[in-house]
């Protein structure tokens, strides 16, 4: 029996949901500083067929992982109790219950086209698809930002990664054809039209295949450094530092924190500048902003790596309007904004530069702004 049949037959509530991965145009490492971000949802998404169970079991199956389903007892879920990919769906069920929702187990079958470890939010996609499915099946009535907050809490408290809210908000709240201009302080959001095709442009994604792992401590250290800097400056968050006062503020900080602050303040300004160009109908003007953002991530924030730097430099040398790493860094993916007719040449140049450097061939594809989490069947 298919899941949609079981719904028709009046069996356990069931359906199929999808939640996308994302690229971020600009605004990296700003979200945990209460700043601005500008992500775009990808057509690549996690799909989940979900059917509620009444016996307290959570049976999780992934099409991407060999072996049978992972079977968990909902009442026994606790942070640290689940390993591997299954911790992401389990985290959501645990968090819903920790938040006071009386939810139980389910059969969950996940099929995701979001590359893992590529900085494209494959884990947020899984969290958000399960959160959205539970919200619908249990009639919880949570709106997009509430679902994203829940998924972020799942990642923070159950998975143990102190991530910001960008990836979950992108996966839930992005809409087709738009970038999501998000103020991560109050989750105020605006859909900003991103008509790349209409402007004769393309957005190339280069997955360097260097696996990033945000749980490895570096991300947490950066976040702690930003929070320390804000405290030393007497600010609630680095978002509150006026760019006009940047130099004076830097003089008041220890040398190791200055580059972090400079990145966050200039990056927030780049997001607002990028949004203005999009509202003016000039997406090509994002090019230099992307490249400047990469320089800041490479030189000030120090989260790039030789492979992402090579992809950016080669893309720009081959005619891209601009390029930068996207996501947390330490590997992962690069985006390059190109004219439609230079897309292939840029992709080929990056691929051959990787071969020449002895790196594994990157995976390349074109990003088209897609829809956020939704029921699909
Ligand atoms: C990861 C985190 C996000 C964000 C980015 C960096 O993707 O999950 O919250 O901090 O890194 O911008």
């Amino acid at each position: 029996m298919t899941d949609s049949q079981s719904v028709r037959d009046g069996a356990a509530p069931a359906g199929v949901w999808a939640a996308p991965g994302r690229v971020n145009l600009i605004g990296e490492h700003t979200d945990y500083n209460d700043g601005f971000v500008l992500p775009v949802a990808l057509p690549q998404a996690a799909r989940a067929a979900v059917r509620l169970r009444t016996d307290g079991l959570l049976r999780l199956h992934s099409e991407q992982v060999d072996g049978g389903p992972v079977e968990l007892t909902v009442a026994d879920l606790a942070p640290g109790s689940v390993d591997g990919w299954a911790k992401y769906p389990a985290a959501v069920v645990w968090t819903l219950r920790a938040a006071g929702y009386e939810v139980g187990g389910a059969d969950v079958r996940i099929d995701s086209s979001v590359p893992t470890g590529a900085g494209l939010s494959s884990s947020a996609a899984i969290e958000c698809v399960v959160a959205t499915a539970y919200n619908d099946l249990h009639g919880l009535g949570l709106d997009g930002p509430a679902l994203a907050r829940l998924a972020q809490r799942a990642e923070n408290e159950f998975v143990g990664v102190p991530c910001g809210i960008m990836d979950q908000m992108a996966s839930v709240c992005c809409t087709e054809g738009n970038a999501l201009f998000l103020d991560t302080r109050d989750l105020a959001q605006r859909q900003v039209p991103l008509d790349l095709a209409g402007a004769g442009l393309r957005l190339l994604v280069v997955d360097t295949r260097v696996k990033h792992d945000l749980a490895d401590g570096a991300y947490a250290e950066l976040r702690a450094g930003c929070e320390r800097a804000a405290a030393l400056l007497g600010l609630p968050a680095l978002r509150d530092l006026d760019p006009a006062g940047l130099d004076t503020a830097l003089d008041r900080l220890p040398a190791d924190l200055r580059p972090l602050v400079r990145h966050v303040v200039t990056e927030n300004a780049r997001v607002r500048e990028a949004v203005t160009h999009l509202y003016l109908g000039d997406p090509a003007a994002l090019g230099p902003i992307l490249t400047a953002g990469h320089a800041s991530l490479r030189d000030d924030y120090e989260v790039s790596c030789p492979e992402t730097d090579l992809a950016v430099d080669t893309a720009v040398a081959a005619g891209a309007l601009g390029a930068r790493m996207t996501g947390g860094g330490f590997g992962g993916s690069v985006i390059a904004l190109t004219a439609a007719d230079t897309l292939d040449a840029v992709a080929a140049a990056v691929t051959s530069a990787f071969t020449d450097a002895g790196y594994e061939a990157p995976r390349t594809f074109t990003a088209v702004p897609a829809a956020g989490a939704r029921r699909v069947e």
Side-chain angles (χ1 to χ4, degrees):
M1 189 198 293
T2 66
D3 292 294
S4 34
Q5 267 172 329
S6 71
V7 174
R8 278 200 302 275
D9 296 350
V16 182
W17 285 261
R22 62 98 193 92
V23 289
N24 185 22
L25 290 176
I26 190 79
E28 219 67 81
H29 291 277
T30 47
D31 60 354
Y32 51 81
N33 292 295
D34 280 2
F36 302 101
V37 293
L38 191 62
V40 172
L42 294 170
Q44 287 88 342
R47 284 172 70 94
V50 182
R51 178 176 52 212
L52 296 183
R53 299 175 64 104
T54 52
D55 59 0
L57 291 180
L58 183 61
R59 280 170 60 90
L60 305 168
H61 184 277
S62 166
E63 298 290 343
Q64 279 66 51
V65 180
D66 290 338
V70 175
E71 191 168 298
L72 303 164
T73 301
V74 169
D76 294 344
L77 292 177
S81 65
V82 186
D83 290 328
W85 72 273
K87 64 180 174 244
Y88 299 106
V92 170
V93 176
W94 175 84
T95 306
L96 279 166
R97 289 165 63 87
Y101 297 103
E102 287 175 17
V103 301
D107 293 311
V108 180
R109 201 175 182 93
I110 292 175
D111 189 1
S112 180
S113 55
V114 188
T116 56
L120 301 173
S121 291
S122 59
S123 42
I126 292 180
E127 290 156 1
C128 292
V129 79
V130 173
T132 305
Y134 263 68
N135 187 40
D136 289 352
L137 290 171
H138 284 282
L140 303 178
L142 297 167
D143 64 8
L147 284 172
R149 282 258 184 252
L150 190 114
Q152 181 201 18
R153 184 177 167 196
E155 179 105 16
N156 292 166
E157 295 181 20
F158 192 92
V159 179
V161 176
C163 66
I165 191 81
M166 169 172 71
D167 301 347
Q168 291 78 9
M169 278 296 290
S171 190
V172 174
C173 296
C174 277
T175 54
E176 200 176 333
N178 296 307
L180 177 71
F181 177 36
L182 176 69
D183 181 338
T184 63
R185 168 160 278 166
D186 60 5
L187 302 191
Q189 37 170 321
R190 279 205 219 125
Q191 303 292 338
V192 187
L194 183 66
D195 183 12
L196 294 172
L201 300 175
R202 297 287 183 273
L203 191 64
L204 175 71
V205 182
V206 178
D207 169 9
T208 65
R209 297 189 193 263
V210 179
K211 294 276 178 197
H212 79 137
D213 184 359
L214 292 182
D216 72 359
Y219 183 92
E221 268 176 44
L222 290 164
R223 181 173 182 154
C226 289
E227 285 165 1
R228 198 150 49 90
L232 288 170
L233 295 170
L235 299 170
L238 289 184
R239 180 266 178 70
D240 299 299
L241 181 50
D242 183 345
L246 177 60
D247 289 341
T248 321
L250 293 182
D251 287 343
R252 293 169 53 202
L253 291 171
D256 61 319
L257 296 181
R258 285 180 206 151
L260 300 186
V261 175
R262 192 162 48 222
H263 168 73
V264 172
V265 172
T266 59
E267 185 80 346
N268 273 324
R270 279 186 286 273
V271 176
R272 301 172 90 151
E273 205 189 329
V275 169
T276 303
H277 289 304
L278 290 183
Y279 276 133
L280 288 168
D282 187 13
L286 263 55
I289 301 174
L290 302 187
T291 309
H294 188 75
S296 183
L297 288 163
R298 182 192 61 213
D299 302 336
D300 274 345
Y301 224 68
E302 298 190 44
V303 291
S304 74
C305 66
E307 291 84 352
T308 52
D309 293 346
L310 180 64
V312 167
D313 292 346
T314 307
V316 172
L321 300 173
R324 60 176 289 268
M325 53 151 270
T326 192
F330 314 108
S333 295
V334 161
I335 53 170
L337 186 67
T338 75
D341 57 5
T342 51
L343 174 78
D344 292 344
V346 169
V350 173
T351 301
S352 86
F354 270 51
T355 310
D356 293 349
Y359 300 151
E360 193 184 343
R363 173 188 358 225
T364 59
F365 62 92
T366 312
V368 181
R374 69 219 173 268
R375 186 170 190 155
V376 290
E377 275 170 39

